[in-house]
Amino acid sequence: MSKINSASSSTPKLSELETANALLQEEIRQRKESDLRFRLAVKGTTAGVWDWIDVNSNQEWWSPQFYNLLGYSPEELDATLENFEAILHPEDSARTFELVNKHFENRESFVVEYRLKCKTGKYRWFLGSGQATWDVDGKPTRMVGTIVDIHERKTAEAAAKQNALDLKKKVTELQELTYVASHDLQEPVRTIASFADLLKQNYTDKLDTAGNQYLDFMQEASNRSQQLISDLLDYTRIGKNQEVTDVDTQQILSVVLADLTSRIKDSGAKIDADQLPIIKGYPIDLQVLIQNLLSNAIKFSASKHQPLIKIGYENLSSEHHFFVADNGIGIEEQYFDRIFVIFKRLNARAEFEGTGIGLAHCKKVIELHNGKIWVESKVDKGSTFHFTIPHLP
Ligand code: ADP
């Protein structure tokens, strides 16, 4: 009995054999299924597939599309690690293998952009990615991955980067040129102005009426040139030598209103303002911005009637929104963009004094803060200048 028992414990029963067989069949079926899935995926994808069957050996397997992407045939280039290293751009090699090692050691995901030399002799950019398998001791055994051609995107990115750099360089050069030109112009213009003043003081009685009138024109023109040059210099200095700080715009408004006291009084302007916030920005530039908008609102309303001015504020989810509204002469819609261009004015100087730089200045200040500035207006009804400044952390 005991013999029979011991025999039955070492020899599997028929039912156990059948179960084991069924499991084996199922495993074979699943393997075949996944093998088919892999082969179909390899065939259908535009990516090139590589299989480093044993990571301790040199031999690899590359899919037909892998060869297509590089322009080689399997006869021309053996699928080996050595050949992959030979076509990998020398500048990308260290980074790529460092990432492979990190993947093997820490199982960090392996995704890398590198250049491979194609049969044409030229390098193209590819996105490489892969996944290893590990044995029970945690040693990498095999690695399978893909390459995707990203050459067009990479070259477009590089060109865009270069264009941005070139543009930045040109803007800096232009700014320097404007600064130097306006700075150097100051001196001769100042000399003309002071000699015109001397002439006026000491020689008025020696000149006839026409001569005196010419002298007045000269003085006027040199004063205007001085004003233009000083405005231009201020414009070139926007954002320079300043740090982003907390700016109390309510406080700025008080300073601006104090500066404009006599103009407010003379024009009888009534100014109504919302409570303004503390924001992150460049304090001096924001003061000039508010000053320009407010003085324009007074200037372009006062000729008609009592200026009624509203300074509004609302806190939106991603930005601060301010506006300055007046009941002045208004602006035709066709000029809504033009008025922000430097030296562009819509009115005769005799009618409204100014150099035409104020709104260009405002636009540059707002761009420095990555915000937007625009106008809404109706002729003879008034204008509203809006500007936004994004919330900064
Ligand atoms: P300036 O005030 O020195 O002429 P700006 O650059 O500040 O220069 O403004 C450009 C032009 O935009 C002005 O000449 C004027 O024609 C128009 N403008 C600006 N603000 C207003 C306003 N509040 N109402 C009507 N027109 C305006």
Side-chain angles (χ1 to χ4, degrees), residues 296-297 299-300 326 329-331 339 344-347 354-360 383 385:
N296 274 353
K299 179 165 70 178
F300 293 105
D326 64 52
I329 60 168
I331 301 160
I339 52 170
K344 293 281 184 227
R345 312 189 70 233
L346 306 179
N347 314 94
T355 54
I357 211 169
L359 288 180
S383 310
F385 284 83

Side-chain angles (χ1 to χ4, degrees), residues 292-302 304-305 307-312 322-333 335-336 339-340 346-347 352 359 374-387:
N292 282 347
L293 292 180
L294 205 52
S295 64
N296 274 353
I298 300 171
K299 179 165 70 178
F300 293 105
S301 306
K304 289 184 64 192
H305 40 227
L308 300 176
I309 296 162
K310 164 84 188 169
I311 299 156
F322 297 81
F323 66 86
V324 178
D326 64 52
N327 60 339
I329 60 168
I331 301 160
E332 280 181 58
E333 193 173 343
Y335 300 124
F336 282 5
I339 52 170
F340 291 99
L346 306 179
N347 314 94
F352 297 99
L359 288 180
W374 71 98
V375 66
E376 285 171 350
S377 183
K378 277 214 161 64
V379 173
D380 287 338
K381 294 265 182 272
S383 310
T384 304
F385 284 83
H386 299 264
F387 65 91

Side-chain angles (χ1 to χ4, degrees), residues 256-257 260-271 294 298:
V256 170
L257 288 174
L260 294 175
T261 306
S262 64
R263 290 176 64 182
I264 295 171
K265 221 165 139 201
D266 293 349
S267 63
K270 193 171 164 295
I271 298 172
L294 205 52
I298 300 171

Side-chain angles (χ1 to χ4, degrees), residues 31-41:
R31 279 200 182 188
K32 274 189 181 160
E33 185 83 355
S34 96
D35 195 41
L36 178 67
R37 207 176 292 131
F38 178 73
R39 271 188 288 134
L40 284 177

